[in-house]
Amino acid sequence: MPELPEAETIARGLEQVVPGRSIRTVEVIRPDVIEGPQPAFSAAVRSCRIRKVGRRGKNLVLTLESPSPSLVRLRLVVNLGMSGRLLLGREGHAAPVVTHPAVRFHLDDDSVLVYHDVRRFGRLAAISEEAYGEWSRRLGPEPLSPAFDPASLMDSLQRSRSPIRSWLLDQAKVAGIGNIYANEALWHAGIHPRSPASDIRGESVVRLHGAIRRVLTDAIDAGGTTLKDYRTADGWRGSYGGSLRVYGREGLPCPECDTPIERGVLSGRSTFFCPRCQPPPGG
DNA sequence: CGTGCCCCCTGTCAGC
DNA sequence: TGCTGACAGGGGGCAC
């Protein structure tokens, strides 16, 4: 669910308020969302000071500093899965959106950071800087960073025959794109979801690069897309849903040419496209 | 390196 | 009203 724009919105919201605060206690309500042994997780993060809240791909990354033995740095990586939320509230004044708390971080200023997850597909991991580096290296480039440019995108696309929609969902290729923004970017670029990655060349690569950036930045500006579960750290909904051109719009007219939007299934997941603006590969 | 298929889990909605 | 099946933003593992 939450993709890059949603994770970015949450990270920005938390970055404004939580750095400098310490974790007083950790309450693990649903141990299955913890990566690895839960006692080790709790012991690792307890008493840590939060230094920074960032993002890598769709994951939230909190940089923590342990007071003992000697200001050891570790990273709290939060993958929100399909229905995860990170909500900041006041102790004893849980927001009404908190119906399925999985982990509560009680901070030293009477606030609580709640990891909330109905389906519990999300995961929380407390890892060393070294392990974080290894994990991060396995992910593709950040699509909004200078490292992601048309030339390197073209290079990467040439090495795969995967349908482009599947290619975009592969976090090792580009980090942070999920099913909503993959479908949206392909519509903006005029590329069919089943087009083999290596068939995308020249001007199409430039259009795809631009479409990915445009869709992601516009979605960040809108605070993300709330279809159902996603909320900002303050519990607000994202408003990019009104800007979706094809996702979830089967049968509705294409905003560009009025042809009804079609829905297909690719690798078991829905894909939406305009059959006229996004001509199928090979015909 | 691909693909499809299954699983994790809960909630919602359409159809009967 | 209730039951059943399909489906949902993610990702990992499996066989082929």
Side-chain angles (χ1 to χ4, degrees):
Chain A
M1 153 311 313
E3 307 179 28
L4 186 154
E6 291 74 35
E8 179 68 23
T9 300
I10 294 169
R12 288 183 185 180
L14 293 177
E15 174 67 9
Q16 291 181 359
V17 276
V18 302
R21 296 181 185 175
S22 291
I23 298 167
R24 199 179 273 153
T25 57
V26 193
E27 195 185 339
V28 178
I29 300 143
R30 293 289 198 165
D32 52 347
V33 302
I34 304 297
E35 194 77 54
Q38 182 250 308
F41 173 87
S42 298
V45 302
R46 187 171 32 220
S47 306
C48 283
R49 187 176 298 276
I50 301 168
R51 283 302 181 196
K52 184 173 180 293
V53 183
R55 174 193 62 74
R56 178 77 174 96
K58 303 170 183 176
N59 306 273
L60 285 141
V61 181
L62 282 73
T63 303
L64 306 181
E65 201 172 71
S66 153
S68 63
S70 54
L71 303 182
V72 178
R73 283 201 158 212
L74 58 148
R75 305 274 189 155
L76 174 57
V77 178
V78 181
N79 181 311
L80 299 163
M82 293 282 254
S83 54
R85 299 173 180 168
L86 260 186
L87 301 160
L88 188 66
R90 308 304 301 174
E91 197 78 71
H93 295 269
V97 289
V98 183
T99 52
H100 294 67
V103 181
R104 287 198 191 93
F105 299 93
H106 299 273
L107 307 185
D108 61 357
D109 68 341
D110 204 37
S111 66
V112 199
L113 184 60
V114 181
Y115 178 66
H116 176 284
D117 195 344
V118 174
R119 297 177 71 181
R120 303 199 303 283
F121 285 173
R123 289 294 178 269
L124 279 69
I127 58 177
S128 67
E129 280 285 296
E130 191 188 2
Y132 173 76
E134 280 175 29
W135 169 81
S136 180
R137 257 176 263 121
R138 289 197 296 271
L139 295 179
E142 283 294 325
L144 300 180
S145 77
F148 181 73
D149 57 30
S152 59
L153 173 60
M154 165 119 80
D155 212 55
S156 189
L157 287 169
Q158 292 318 299
R159 282 180 259 121
S160 171
R161 290 294 295 169
S162 277
I164 185 61
R165 203 293 310 267
S166 305
W167 192 93
L168 289 170
L169 293 190
D170 184 346
Q171 301 300 294
K173 304 291 199 300
V174 185
I177 300 172
N179 206 23
I180 293 181
Y181 302 114
N183 281 284
E184 290 299 304
L186 290 172
W187 179 84
H188 283 276
I191 298 170
H192 193 280
R194 288 187 190 276
S195 299
S198 54
D199 285 359
I200 300 166
R201 299 190 195 85
E203 218 23 59
S204 278
V205 176
V206 178
R207 276 189 284 121
L208 179 57
H209 175 265
I212 290 169
R213 289 208 165 170
R214 175 183 168 193
V215 163
L216 295 178
T217 52
D218 286 355
I220 290 170
D221 290 345
T225 302
T226 295
L227 294 180
K228 187 172 172 292
D229 297 299
Y230 162 69
R231 293 293 185 280
T232 70
D234 298 319
W236 293 81
R237 306 168 71 99
S239 64
Y240 192 73
S243 301
L244 296 177
R245 301 294 199 264
V246 288
Y247 188 87
R249 301 180 57 80
E250 181 183 14
L252 295 173
C254 168
E256 194 62 36
C257 72
D258 286 344
T259 303
I261 299 300
E262 290 184 9
R263 172 183 176 272
V265 176
L266 192 51
S267 304
R269 307 186 66 184
S270 290
T271 182
F272 299 90
F273 58 97
C274 167
R276 181 166 167 195
C277 297
Q278 300 165 267

